[in-house]
Amino acid sequence: MKYVLVTGGVVSGLGKGVTASSIGVVLKACGLRVTSIKIDPYLNTDAGTMSPFEHGEVFVLDDGGEVDLDLGNYERFLDIKLTCDNNITTGKIYQSVINKERRGDYLGKTVQVVPHITDAIQEWIERVAVIPVDGKEGPADVCVIELGGTIGATIFSRHNNNGILDAGDIESMPFIEALGQFSYRVGPGNFCLVHVSLVPVLSVVGEQKTKPTQHSVRGLRGLGLTPNILACRSTKVLNENVKEKLSQFCHVPASNIITLNDVTNIWHIPLLLRDQKAHDAILKVLNLQGVAREPDLDEWTNRAKLCDSLHDPVRIAMVGKYTGLSDSYLSVWKALLHASVACRKKLVVDWVPSTDLEDTTAKEAPDAYKAAWNLLKGADGILVPGGFGDRGVQGKILAAKYAREKNVPYLGICLGMQIAVIEFARSVMNLQDANSTEFDPDTRTPCVVFMPEGSKTHMGATMRLGSRRTYFEVTDCKAAKLYGNVSYVDERHRHRYEVNPDMVAKFESAGLAFVGKDETGKRMEIIELPAHPYFVGVQFHPEFKSRPGKPSALFLGLIASSCGQLDALLQNPSQPNKHIPAKISSNGVFSPKVYPNGHQNGHAYKPVKSLVNGNYYANGNGVHV
């Protein structure tokens, strides 16, 4: 087994996750089998109970693991299926060591960070690296490991919005020590370290500054890790004299210094690595030059160029409670992008805070209320993603009502399906007190009820999680056709509450179709309004299995319906591009409508900058990490 370790320095948010994923793509294109591991130094056992504002979305795996969003990047880029053990956290490591100590496995020895914690980390990596994740038998050839946090700073400094003090991430130290030992343990030719660092450009003089990277590498070397390759984030391509300077002071060959400059979409990143011969540098360090071939990235090249060339827009209103941080809905956003590219449309996402649609906002902040409704009414399609808690629920219900009454294409995911059911009960069935027991435990008309197998007190890993099978009750429905007329589908779940099975008959008699159910027939998985152009709700999360070349069927349906292509798509769902003109329609550069920004928790909404010195692209075509 060969190992590639990706670390980051200077500042957080440089794009280690996308860099690690792109390295995997290039190595896979060279004919190698690749797996991935993400190390998160926080004390949480997993990401399940963390707020999206703290750490972005919680990505769900087939086995039910609630993990860091970077594992979503790995799965999307490499088209693999990871396990919960591919996400290592300090909580998991300490828990496993303490459990061993309680069992007496250490035979009375004093349990310490070194060697017991560091040994546990190394053993975990070796154990998980050999688990096949690509559907083939036997271990992969290369394991790409991403170490979360920032290495190389020794001064306490505030570098994020939460004001958390960071000392080159103290919590990362056991992992750094373990990986230093691990590099020695596996030996030369089996370990390659790629350090992602920042080369800022001072706007005053326009000069690329190398000192931050020099300090970062010096700190890394002082901790026992020596970088083989430098991946330098910058707004522009590094000048040759800058590379020479970095090579001289960081002791890295100039040919091993890679520029990761700003690009129009992240599908260009593997191409940047290939064009700068990063694969040759990695293969040389890993002694794989005679095994691997030249990378074949034609599909990636075509996709990246196609994405850049799209001008005809499709506008989707994303109605949620975490719209102030787009990472909260990263997989949903990516699934929309995959589908829009397949439909040859330029994605424009309008982030609509659900609270801004409510009547209380009309009184307290009328400008935000008007702006939110303008965005909703100007959209080609509406999507309500999953979520928890009652804040903003009424706004989501209003969005579902608008979509139903105005025949606007609608996709509701998890909570988005539940609120669609509640809205239908209130507006169509005249059950004004219809609600979910999550929001009103004493409601007289419980449309959505607590899932029996869950726990109301322990929040972590108690939900209906992971891949579950959904059986289609009817074949003549949009969802079944979009999935290719199969009898069942396997999708990933993350929820506690479901549609009340005792009310299903009443809903169906009123015109709401439950076209997908679980194997018992008690859990409602897919709803549709047959007379509506596209009104679909699903209890599962289809976004987690969407891939750049294989968009999610239901997201594809939403985008196709939003741009008038659904009928053609339903005729041949296995080939979404067949009925779409090969020539990309171009009407010039699209100028989006400008509306006053809404507000999030009383603060003016501001787009989140994805990368330092980079740009945030609300249309989904920019670099987003």
Side-chain angles (χ1 to χ4, degrees), residues 152-458:
T154 56
I155 302 173
F156 280 91
S157 60
R158 295 179 182 272
H159 73 254
N160 54 39
N161 294 331
N162 295 325
I164 299 173
L165 291 174
D166 178 72
D169 281 359
I170 293 173
E171 58 190 9
S172 301
M173 291 306 169
F175 292 100
I176 295 170
E177 174 62 28
L179 289 165
Q181 295 179 16
F182 189 69
S183 65
Y184 177 75
R185 178 173 167 177
V186 298
N190 295 313
F191 189 89
C192 177
L193 199 164
V194 179
H195 189 58
V196 182
S197 188
L198 175 67
V199 178
V201 178
L202 298 183
S203 58
V204 178
V205 294
E207 181 184 0
Q208 295 174 328
K209 309 301 289 186
T210 64
K211 193 64 70 176
T213 297
Q214 291 181 44
H215 282 295
S216 180
V217 171
R218 187 179 303 159
L220 187 66
R221 293 166 68 90
L223 294 168
L225 290 171
T226 301
N228 303 104
I229 296 170
L230 285 181
C232 298
R233 279 287 294 118
S234 188
T235 54
K236 298 179 181 179
V237 177
L238 291 187
N239 298 327
E240 287 302 317
N241 64 314
V242 173
K243 282 190 176 184
E244 293 295 335
K245 191 173 181 180
L246 285 171
S247 175
Q248 179 181 358
F249 289 103
C250 298
H251 303 172
V252 175
S255 59
N256 287 14
I257 297 176
I258 309 300
T259 300
L260 296 180
N261 53 283
D262 291 351
V263 291
T264 50
N265 68 73
I266 61 171
W267 295 333
H268 282 287
I269 304 298
L271 308 180
L272 280 180
L273 295 176
R274 178 203 61 188
D275 293 344
Q276 297 175 76
K277 303 294 183 182
H279 58 285
D280 284 342
I282 295 172
L283 295 174
K284 184 177 181 180
V285 174
L286 297 178
N287 290 334
L288 288 173
Q289 288 177 302
V291 178
R293 62 171 186 256
E294 281 297 306
D296 179 9
L297 289 171
D298 290 346
E299 183 180 346
W300 279 86
T301 303
N302 294 336
R303 187 182 300 121
K305 290 180 178 178
L306 172 62
C307 190
D308 288 342
S309 67
L310 299 175
H311 296 294
D312 192 14
V314 58
R315 184 180 290 274
I316 302 297
M318 182 99 77
V319 183
K321 61 189 287 189
Y322 304 115
T323 53
L325 180 64
S326 57
D327 270 2
S328 302
Y329 303 112
L330 183 61
S331 290
V332 175
W333 188 54
K334 295 297 184 185
L336 286 171
L337 179 60
H338 302 160
S340 63
V341 172
C343 290
R344 304 296 194 265
K345 297 292 180 180
K346 184 180 182 68
L347 176 65
V348 181
V349 174
D350 290 324
W351 303 93
V352 182
S354 55
T355 52
D356 286 0
L357 297 171
E358 299 174 355
D359 293 339
T360 53
T361 304
K363 300 174 183 178
E364 298 172 0
D367 290 343
Y369 176 81
K370 183 179 179 181
W373 276 102
N374 282 341
L375 289 174
L376 193 72
K377 292 177 181 179
D380 300 312
I382 297 172
L383 191 150
V384 178
F388 297 92
D390 58 357
R391 184 173 67 83
V393 164
Q394 184 57 33
K396 296 176 182 179
I397 290 175
L398 291 170
K401 181 178 182 179
Y402 177 83
R404 181 181 58 80
E405 293 180 344
K406 301 299 182 181
N407 284 334
V408 178
Y410 176 88
L411 176 60
I413 298 172
C414 197
L415 179 60
M417 166 181 158
Q418 295 171 11
I419 61 100
V421 171
I422 294 171
E423 188 279 323
F424 187 88
R426 292 179 182 178
S427 302
V428 179
M429 301 170 66
N430 202 29
L431 301 173
Q432 296 302 320
D433 56 351
N435 213 333
S436 167
T437 56
E438 180 181 5
F439 314 132
D440 182 5
D442 301 320
T443 179
R444 290 181 296 175
T445 310
C447 297
V448 180
V449 296
F450 180 71
M451 185 178 65
E453 67 187 48
S455 167
K456 290 187 178 181
T457 54
H458 292 79

Side-chain angles (χ1 to χ4, degrees), residues 393-541:
V393 164
Q394 184 57 33
K396 296 176 182 179
I397 290 175
L398 291 170
K401 181 178 182 179
Y402 177 83
R404 181 181 58 80
E405 293 180 344
K406 301 299 182 181
N407 284 334
V408 178
Y410 176 88
L411 176 60
I413 298 172
C414 197
L415 179 60
M417 166 181 158
Q418 295 171 11
I419 61 100
V421 171
I422 294 171
E423 188 279 323
F424 187 88
R426 292 179 182 178
S427 302
V428 179
M429 301 170 66
N430 202 29
L431 301 173
Q432 296 302 320
D433 56 351
N435 213 333
S436 167
T437 56
E438 180 181 5
F439 314 132
D440 182 5
D442 301 320
T443 179
R444 290 181 296 175
T445 310
C447 297
V448 180
V449 296
F450 180 71
M451 185 178 65
E453 67 187 48
S455 167
K456 290 187 178 181
T457 54
H458 292 79
M459 298 183 69
T462 60
M463 295 180 285
R464 191 167 193 242
L465 286 164
S467 183
R468 297 287 192 277
R469 184 156 291 180
T470 295
Y471 292 88
F472 288 105
E473 298 292 305
V474 293
T475 56
D476 189 25
C477 65
K478 295 181 181 69
K481 291 178 181 177
L482 287 168
Y483 275 108
N485 295 311
V486 295
S487 58
Y488 63 84
V489 292
D490 295 316
E491 294 282 9
R492 299 176 185 179
H493 293 65
R494 184 178 184 249
H495 60 91
R496 293 188 182 88
Y497 292 81
E498 300 195 26
V499 174
N500 187 349
D502 295 334
M503 292 189 64
V504 169
K506 295 179 182 178
F507 280 118
E508 290 183 326
S509 63
L512 184 63
F514 292 88
V515 300
K517 300 179 181 179
D518 77 333
E519 67 278 3
T520 67
K522 297 292 185 181
R523 300 180 187 271
M524 304 303 112
E525 296 284 357
I526 308 175
I527 65 166
E528 280 189 21
L529 285 176
H532 193 282
Y534 191 82
F535 194 98
V536 176
V538 291
Q539 186 60 69
F540 48 80
H541 290 265

Side-chain angles (χ1 to χ4, degrees), residues 63-218:
D63 65 359
E66 297 173 286
V67 297
D68 183 82
L69 58 81
D70 278 319
L71 274 79
N73 280 325
Y74 304 158
E75 286 205 344
R76 283 186 289 269
F77 270 59
L78 298 170
D79 194 17
I80 56 179
K81 292 183 179 179
L82 300 172
T83 70
C84 60
D85 285 347
N86 288 86
N87 192 193
I88 305 175
T89 68
T90 298
K92 286 181 180 178
I93 295 296
Y94 274 77
Q95 190 174 60
S96 67
V97 170
I98 290 171
N99 288 341
K100 286 183 178 181
E101 185 272 333
R102 291 289 85 189
R103 291 197 304 265
D105 292 1
Y106 296 117
L107 302 176
K109 290 182 177 294
T110 302
V111 180
Q112 298 174 292
V113 173
V114 181
H116 301 101
I117 295 295
T118 52
D119 284 352
I121 293 168
Q122 296 175 68
E123 290 164 4
W124 193 299
I125 291 172
E126 287 189 315
R127 173 175 60 84
V128 174
V130 297
I131 299 174
V133 295
D134 56 1
K136 301 176 183 178
E137 294 184 358
D141 301 308
V142 180
C143 177
V144 180
I145 306 167
E146 179 193 347
L147 175 60
T150 308
I151 299 176
T154 56
I155 302 173
F156 280 91
S157 60
R158 295 179 182 272
H159 73 254
N160 54 39
N161 294 331
N162 295 325
I164 299 173
L165 291 174
D166 178 72
D169 281 359
I170 293 173
E171 58 190 9
S172 301
M173 291 306 169
F175 292 100
I176 295 170
E177 174 62 28
L179 289 165
Q181 295 179 16
F182 189 69
S183 65
Y184 177 75
R185 178 173 167 177
V186 298
N190 295 313
F191 189 89
C192 177
L193 199 164
V194 179
H195 189 58
V196 182
S197 188
L198 175 67
V199 178
V201 178
L202 298 183
S203 58
V204 178
V205 294
E207 181 184 0
Q208 295 174 328
K209 309 301 289 186
T210 64
K211 193 64 70 176
T213 297
Q214 291 181 44
H215 282 295
S216 180
V217 171
R218 187 179 303 159

